[in-house]
Amino acid sequence: MIQLHDKEFVPFISAQEIDFAIAKIAALVEDDFADETPVFVGVLNGAFMVVSDFMKHYKSPCEVSFIKMASYEGTTSTNDVRQLIGLDQDLTGRTVVVIEDIVDTGNTLVALKELFKKQNVKHFKIATLFFKPEAFKQEIKIDYVGIRIPNKFIVGYGLDYDGLGRNLPEVYQLKE
Ligand code: IMP
Ligand code: MG
């Protein structure tokens, strides 16, 4: 068990299961886009570890960029998604695969879709390591999903509780 701020967390998903899920997503994306040079757009802060490991599994030509979005306060998602760092690249005609650590309510995805609508990209795909189907409130299709999890708050592997826990190599869930 670990403690972050005022809360206790218990082990939930191992580093090996995470790596397996990321390898699976990378293989699926590569099947679809190996003959193009996709731009992987990681959503900071949470997705930095996923993007790093995803890229190591992806063997074909590709580029990477990052965008920074924030909606979470403590352990709950807010409806107000803010863009903190924007795209620094012209993506006209490119294949874009957004890489998320986790999709919860889907509010961040809605904001991202709006943003990329204006970019005239060739393909817009969404990949996420974790997905909470019970919390998802949107009609958006998620193209690549690593691991479906129950509607519980998790930390580790890039995911934080008020800033802490991102450095854990495995994932923990809030103790009931
Ligand atoms: P959404 O906009 O509600 O889909 O939330 C997306 C973002 O909220 C994710 O990219 C994470 O940064 C954060 N988030 C959602 N669920 C969790 C969680 O269980 N632990 C930590 N961060 C989370
Ligand atoms: Mg995120």
Side-chain angles (χ1 to χ4, degrees):
M1 202 171 67
I2 57 157
Q3 172 124 17
L4 302 170
H5 298 296
D6 57 328
K7 299 200 191 307
E8 290 177 330
F9 295 85
V10 291
F12 183 39
I13 299 168
S14 71
Q16 196 187 357
E17 285 173 89
I18 293 167
D19 190 60
F20 191 79
I22 292 177
K24 177 188 78 179
I25 301 174
L28 291 172
V29 175
E30 206 158 0
D31 277 351
D32 292 344
F33 298 116
D35 54 349
E36 308 193 19
T37 303
V39 184
F40 300 131
V41 177
V43 184
L44 295 172
N45 287 334
F48 73 97
M49 273 200 200
V50 189
V51 173
S52 168
D53 285 337
F54 176 93
M55 298 273 294
K56 286 178 239 169
H57 284 292
Y58 194 93
K59 305 296 182 196
S60 302
C62 60
E63 296 176 21
V64 68
S65 192
F66 288 93
I67 185 168
K68 187 163 179 174
M69 314 281 282
S71 69
Y72 244 67
E73 279 167 21
T75 60
T76 42
S77 189
T78 69
N79 286 325
D80 171 34
V81 182
R82 291 171 302 145
Q83 186 186 330
L84 306 173
I85 298 178
L87 285 165
D88 58 355
Q89 196 182 345
D90 180 17
L91 296 172
T92 307
R94 302 297 303 271
T95 290
V96 171
V97 182
V98 163
I99 301 185
E100 266 282 27
D101 46 358
I102 187 164
V103 175
D104 185 341
T105 62
N107 293 334
T108 305
L109 286 191
V110 171
L112 285 167
K113 258 203 119 154
E114 274 306 304
L115 192 81
F116 282 96
K117 236 195 231 168
K118 300 172 202 139
Q119 296 279 325
N120 293 312
V121 300
K122 182 177 175 191
H123 298 285
F124 177 76
K125 301 284 177 186
I126 298 160
T128 186
L129 173 56
F130 298 114
F131 177 44
K132 296 181 186 171
E134 293 155 24
F136 195 57
K137 294 186 294 198
Q138 306 296 342
E139 294 296 312
I140 296 175
K141 181 178 173 235
I142 307 174
D143 304 281
Y144 310 97
V145 175
I147 302 172
R148 284 170 181 76
I149 61 166
N151 195 5
K152 298 242 176 77
F153 187 75
I154 59 173
V155 293
Y157 197 75
L159 292 157
D160 71 305
Y161 169 47
D162 272 347
L164 295 182
R166 295 195 196 274
N167 55 327
L168 297 161
E170 56 286 298
V171 164
Y172 292 72
Q173 78 176 33
L174 190 59
K175 194 172 169 239
E176 301 284 292

